[in-house]
Amino acid sequence: MATLQDLGVSAFINIVGGFAFLLLFAVLRIQPVNDRVYNPKWYLNGSRTRSMAQGLSKFVNLNLWTYLKFLNWIPGSLRMSEAEIIQHAGLDSAVYLRIYILGLKIFVPITLLALMILIPVNISGGTLLSLRKEVVFSDIDKLSISNVSPGSKRFFIHILMAYIFTLWTCYILYKEYANVAFMRLHFMASQQRRVDQFTVVVTNVPHVVGHSTAETVDEFFQRNHPDHYLGQQPVYNANKFGKLIKRKERLQNWLDYYQRKFERHPGSRPTAKVGFLGCCGRRVDAIDYYQGRVDVLDRKILAERQRVLKDPKAIMPVSFVTFDSRWGAAVCAQTQQSRNPTQWLTEWAPEPRDVYWQNLSIPFFTLSIRRLMISISVFALIFFYMIPIAFVQSLANLEGLEKVAPFLKPVIEIKVIKSFLQGFLPGLALKIFLFILPDVLVLMSKVEGYISLSSVERKAATKYYYFILVNVFLGSIITGTAFEQLYTFLHQPPEQIPRTIGVSIPMKATFFMTYIMIDGWSGIANEILRLKHLVIYHLKNVFLVKTEKDREKAMDPGSIGLPENLPNLQLYFLLGLVYAVITPILLPFILIFFMFAFLVYRHQIMNVYNQEYESAAAFWPFVQSRIIIGLLISQVLLIGLLSTKKAANSTPLLIFLPVFTIWFHYYCKKRFQPAFRKYPLEEAMEKDILDKASEPNLNLKAYLADAYVHPIFQEFECDEEAGEVRANKYEHELESPYRSESVPSPSPPHYVYHYEFEP
């Protein structure tokens, strides 16, 4: 168990490490050669272009005065207002930052009350001194509720604080839910016209003998939505085509690399081995070899494209259906279309950049099988990870191991080793074990078949949250308690075990303090440094970049990373709510995290991150519900803890807290969640009336015609424009903004795209 000295060692390592990361960031970010790593967003939106500096100043900043102002990124990250951030980065980014503000609003008053009232009450308890032969504890545990003697009337103070903390948290959550719901509706009302406002995605289209999918969709919507149906864009299974495109991109990168190498050294043509990983096999001319492979792939890509166009089996029972008004699309998206609830399923179409195209071709029955298998896999993964969690807790609780395995005592008792093992290593080991998990869960969510990136990320965040809840929180408490009190568990009567657990659970606060310092202090400082992105960018810049377009592709601005960051944030809310009454000394660690992370992520959102999509804060109901779950867990644990402390007179008073919290959750859900699930018809009609008044001659069908073109077809067509190959016009006639509106044909399939020669 970590002592005060061990926590001091951990704090020293993390503070020094965090300051070193910040100092390195301050130096690297002002170097011109790194500008695209630390300010990629400004290049992507066109605010910055290629640097005009020459000579050494093109790579190194020679202005010494800028080195003295190495902390000017902090006031710089605060200069934008929330409205400007919404304009600059979108509502998702602005609302994500509000989560950190929410944490400060909740925990600043709670921390002040807990430190001023609860800690003096706990210190004066003195019960741990009477249990020193039975229970392993440290000086920090004297600040927790464990130090209050069983049956004490002091527990009424803890219960009063639990009521105050619950009421305050619910009040802040209600105000924030109302604010975010208003921001979402205002954002959607103030937006310019977008294609997804007029489009519905229809899945599980039934097969009709003698009719193609496109004909079936046309007939169904012309019959059931005759006044507003505009057209459709069928979806084709182009996954094999996409794999060929990606393979060509990889080969093209190698070809570009060797061509650039030959341009630098024209005296000798580059060569390469054609065996495994380029390490064996015969040596050939690299340029000719890769050019030949690219040419072969070009022919395969053309053949596959023609196959997709002509093969009826390539048409999937999915379609993007467009309407002539937002009102018509809202009615279709938010109602049941068929008396068979498994057919003609409709929902709002994601915006084009949010569509996850690979999953559109998955049949409905296959989706059910996939989601069942992934649920089983996640369940197994959660319990598999109990093994490394138990290992981490064995590092955090050395005293318990010494009692069972005395032969380890000479090594463990070395002062430096013991402080490092208990104060720093457990949090670091846990962070390492969790490193690849978010990516694995994102992959699992993609396999489940969700059709939008935002849905994939929200589902991955849900899996990661429950994983953290079971393994990191409950797993650490259970296994940590077992290791701490292992000797007691093995030598005491069974009826005494609940009492020992009740005393020991608050003592796990020391482990979570070390984890917060590793993840919430040093981890956030490492986030702003972007060391991995810096190295990768310069490697690409040296070996792959030929043009400015290549340099833009080499930039990796990344995004907020909702699948990982949202569950981590919710863990901090959970820890704060659970330990606010039990071990209040943990709260200052959480406050430091919220303040530091707010500054860092505000800077990253302004200068670095480029969100892949805009969901208009659709993730907020999940944030609200997870905080409510944390509040309920804190109340249940407090009830269980007091039940082991012989507080029979005071414990029943806590029963009303979970009941009130559940009622509050359902009230907020009914009051605000419809704003995140449905689009008001009143709002849709108002927007349609404004559009008709401002642009009465708008050709909406032409505006929506190419809205959902698959990105790989766009890439293919761009490649064709660069060479001599040109695609023919699509088979369905497409209206242009200058053509008569009398053409009755529906919108073209999503893979078709019309383009002309550039003059």
Side-chain angles (χ1 to χ4, degrees):
M1 179 186 302
T3 64
L4 187 61
Q5 180 182 356
D6 300 334
L7 282 180
V9 170
S10 179
F12 175 78
I13 294 174
N14 286 286
I15 290 173
V16 171
F19 184 78
F21 287 156
L22 292 177
L23 189 61
L24 189 58
F25 161 73
V27 174
L28 291 175
R29 78 181 184 90
I30 61 177
Q31 309 306 320
V33 72
N34 297 329
D35 198 44
R36 289 180 181 268
V37 178
Y38 294 108
N39 298 285
K41 193 172 186 68
W42 299 103
Y43 286 91
L44 293 175
N45 64 20
S47 299
R48 293 192 185 185
T49 56
R50 186 176 180 180
S51 174
M52 301 304 293
Q54 301 294 328
L56 184 61
S57 61
K58 185 178 180 180
F59 302 98
V60 180
N61 186 357
L62 302 178
N63 184 358
L64 298 180
W65 176 247
T66 57
Y67 291 90
L68 300 178
K69 300 187 296 182
F70 67 96
L71 290 178
N72 65 350
W73 66 271
I74 296 178
S77 64
L78 299 174
R79 75 173 183 270
M80 274 191 182
S81 65
E82 187 175 71
E84 290 173 328
I85 287 182
I86 293 175
Q87 182 69 25
H88 176 69
L91 185 64
D92 282 345
S93 299
V95 171
Y96 175 76
L97 290 174
R98 290 187 71 96
I99 302 176
Y100 295 97
I101 299 296
L102 175 65
L104 293 174
K105 287 180 179 178
I106 290 175
F107 289 115
V108 167
I110 287 178
T111 301
L112 293 176
L113 281 176
L115 295 181
M116 289 189 298
I117 297 176
L118 290 180
I119 285 188
V121 171
N122 294 338
I123 291 177
S124 59
T127 191
L128 288 178
L129 294 176
S130 63
L131 297 174
R132 65 175 62 187
K133 294 182 180 180
E134 303 175 27
V135 177
V136 179
F137 66 92
S138 68
D139 291 336
I140 295 175
D141 299 318
K142 296 177 184 178
L143 306 177
S144 73
I145 198 173
S146 297
N147 201 34
V148 180
S149 59
S152 173
K153 293 184 179 180
R154 298 170 186 265
F155 289 125
F156 283 103
I157 300 178
H158 294 85
I159 292 173
L160 176 62
M161 289 295 103
Y163 269 90
I164 293 174
F165 295 166
T166 297
L167 293 174
W168 174 254
T169 301
C170 291
Y171 170 74
I172 295 298
L173 286 176
Y174 178 85
K175 299 289 289 184
E176 198 64 24
Y177 212 157
N179 288 336
V180 174
F182 173 79
M183 291 171 64
R184 174 181 168 86
L185 292 175
H186 179 73
F187 177 78
M188 297 175 69
S190 61
Q191 276 185 316
Q192 298 295 323
R193 185 190 311 107
R194 296 197 329 181
V195 293
D196 53 295
Q197 296 171 343
F198 301 88
T199 308
V200 172
V201 60
V202 183
T203 57
N204 208 26
V205 176
H207 175 68
V208 178
V209 179
H211 288 73
S212 66
T213 301
E215 292 171 341
T216 303
V217 171
D218 269 334
E219 181 180 341
F220 181 85
F221 282 95
Q222 285 172 358
R223 182 176 67 250
N224 294 288
H225 298 268
D227 298 328
H228 298 283
Y229 174 65
L230 193 61
Q232 56 144 329
Q233 294 178 346
V235 176
Y236 282 68
N237 186 350
N239 289 348
K240 183 178 179 182
F241 183 85
K243 291 177 182 178
L244 293 174
I245 292 290
K246 297 301 180 185
R247 192 187 308 171
K248 180 189 173 182
E249 286 181 356
R250 291 194 294 268
L251 293 175
Q252 189 67 46
N253 283 337
W254 279 110
L255 178 60
D256 292 343
Y257 165 69
Y258 284 115
Q259 286 176 338
R260 187 180 182 194
K261 186 175 182 180
F262 180 62
E263 290 171 1
R264 290 177 175 176
H265 306 285
S268 60
R269 290 179 66 85
T271 59
K273 292 182 179 180
V274 297
F276 179 71
L277 295 178
C279 300
C280 58
R282 60 189 180 89
R283 187 172 292 276
V284 297
D285 184 289
I287 295 178
D288 292 342
Y289 172 73
Y290 282 104
Q291 184 64 64
R293 292 191 63 182
V294 168
D295 292 341
V296 170
L297 266 182
D298 279 337
R299 291 192 290 271
K300 288 184 179 180
I301 288 171
L302 277 173
E304 177 62 20
R305 185 172 185 269
Q306 293 300 319
R307 186 196 68 80
V308 169
L309 295 179
K310 297 177 181 179
D311 185 5
K313 295 181 180 180
I315 303 175
M316 303 307 301
V318 181
S319 184
F320 290 98
V321 176
T322 55
F323 295 83
D324 63 0
S325 65
R326 296 175 181 83
W327 190 91
V331 170
C332 179
Q334 297 168 183
T335 55
Q336 182 173 320
Q337 303 302 309
S338 171
R339 53 178 70 96
N340 183 346
T342 64
Q343 294 181 347
W344 297 104
L345 305 179
T346 58
E347 60 180 295
W348 282 106
E351 61 168 324
R353 58 179 179 162
D354 188 19
V355 177
Y356 190 66
W357 297 95
Q358 290 89 326
N359 285 349
L360 287 173
S361 60
I362 301 175
F364 182 78
F365 178 75
T366 307
L367 285 178
S368 303
I369 300 298
R370 287 187 178 208
R371 291 175 185 176
L372 175 62
M373 298 304 296
I374 291 298
S375 298
I376 296 173
S377 301
V378 171
F379 182 81
L381 184 64
I382 288 175
F383 282 90
F384 168 78
Y385 255 80
M386 280 292 186
I387 298 173
I389 295 297
F391 169 73
V392 169
Q393 290 305 317
S394 70
L395 297 177
N397 304 286
L398 301 179
E399 290 89 347
L401 286 180
E402 287 179 0
K403 290 184 178 181
V404 179
F407 60 89
L408 295 176
K409 188 172 182 179
V411 177
I412 292 175
E413 286 300 321
I414 299 175
K415 199 169 185 180
V416 176
I417 294 178
K418 187 174 183 178
S419 295
F420 179 77
L421 288 177
Q422 293 194 141
F424 182 75
L425 190 59
L428 179 63
L430 181 58
K431 185 70 176 174
I432 292 173
F433 282 128
L434 298 177
F435 181 72
I436 64 169
L437 188 61
D439 293 331
V440 173
L441 296 178
V442 168
L443 180 61
M444 286 183 168
S445 298
K446 289 180 177 178
V447 172
E448 283 184 297
Y450 297 102
I451 64 172
S452 66
L453 293 172
S454 55
S455 297
V456 167
E457 292 197 349
R458 287 197 295 271
K459 295 301 180 180
T462 299
K463 296 179 181 67
Y464 193 36
Y465 171 76
Y466 288 115
F467 180 90
I468 286 178
L469 177 63
V470 173
N471 279 304
V472 177
F473 181 70
L474 296 178
S476 295
I477 287 177
I478 294 171
T479 58
T481 301
F483 274 110
E484 285 177 2
Q485 314 305 335
L486 190 57
Y487 181 83
T488 306
F489 281 178
L490 296 177
H491 294 85
Q492 70 177 0
E495 62 270 12
Q496 295 295 320
I497 291 179
R499 175 174 171 269
T500 303
I501 293 178
V503 174
S504 302
I505 286 178
M507 300 178 185
K508 289 311 302 170
T510 54
F511 166 75
F512 289 119
M513 290 177 194
T514 63
Y515 180 75
I516 290 170
M517 287 187 283
I518 292 284
D519 180 70
W521 297 6
S522 297
I524 296 299
N526 182 57
E527 173 66 28
I528 200 172
L529 179 59
R530 306 193 81 227
L531 187 59
K532 182 182 75 172
H533 300 86
L534 179 71
V535 173
I536 292 175
Y537 169 75
H538 285 299
L539 288 176
K540 289 182 177 180
N541 203 29
V542 170
F543 295 107
L544 299 177
V545 170
K546 287 186 63 178
T547 64
E548 284 299 313
K549 186 176 180 181
D550 295 334
R551 188 167 283 107
E552 286 185 7
K553 290 182 179 180
M555 289 190 302
D556 182 17
S559 61
I560 294 172
L562 295 180
E564 180 178 5
N565 288 333
L566 278 184
N568 281 333
L569 269 170
Q570 289 149 4
L571 173 65
Y572 287 107
F573 278 99
L574 174 64
L575 293 177
L577 293 171
V578 167
Y579 284 101
V581 176
I582 295 176
T583 310
I585 195 63
L586 180 138
L587 293 175
F589 293 83
I590 292 178
L591 283 183
I592 293 174
F593 161 75
F594 278 120
M595 289 186 287
F596 185 36
F598 172 73
L599 290 174
V600 168
Y601 279 103
R602 212 173 197 275
H603 173 274
Q604 299 296 83
I605 284 171
M606 289 170 54
N607 301 288
V608 180
Y609 296 148
N610 187 44
Q611 278 297 94
E612 295 179 276
Y613 57 84
E614 176 59 61
S615 69
F619 57 84
W620 188 261
F622 298 92
V623 175
Q624 171 93 1
S625 62
R626 308 285 157 64
I627 297 176
I628 293 294
I629 290 174
L631 198 57
L632 287 170
I633 290 174
S634 70
Q635 295 160 358
V636 171
L637 286 180
L638 184 60
I639 292 173
L641 179 60
L642 292 183
S643 66
T644 67
K645 304 284 281 184
K646 299 179 181 179
N649 295 328
S650 56
T651 302
L653 297 176
L654 288 172
I655 299 297
F656 298 103
L657 280 181
V659 176
F660 168 77
T661 304
I662 293 172
W663 171 84
F664 170 78
H665 171 63
Y666 280 103
Y667 173 78
C668 288
K669 190 174 181 180
K670 291 182 179 179
R671 172 68 177 83
F672 299 115
Q673 191 164 327
F676 295 85
R677 296 289 179 264
K678 299 176 182 179
Y679 187 48
L681 295 180
E682 178 185 22
E683 189 74 34
M685 182 61 73
E686 289 178 0
K687 291 286 289 182
D688 290 335
I689 293 173
L690 286 175
D691 272 2
K692 290 179 180 178
S694 59
E695 297 179 85
N697 298 322
L698 173 68
N699 189 342
L700 193 59
K701 192 171 186 178
Y703 170 73
L704 298 172
D706 293 334
Y708 287 89
V709 178
H710 198 300
I712 62 172
F713 285 100
Q714 292 177 345
E715 294 172 9
F716 172 76
E717 289 152 1
C718 289
D719 290 341
E720 284 185 326
E721 286 181 350
E724 296 180 356
V725 182
R726 292 294 184 268
N728 297 324
K729 282 188 175 182
Y730 43 73
E731 300 162 334
H732 301 280
E733 187 168 336
L734 171 65
E735 289 182 303
S736 72
Y738 309 103
R739 187 174 298 176
S740 169
E741 295 185 18
S742 62
V743 180
S745 61
S747 299
H750 78 269
Y751 58 84
V752 216
Y753 193 71
H754 180 109
Y755 45 87
E756 304 288 351
F757 282 102
E758 290 292 331

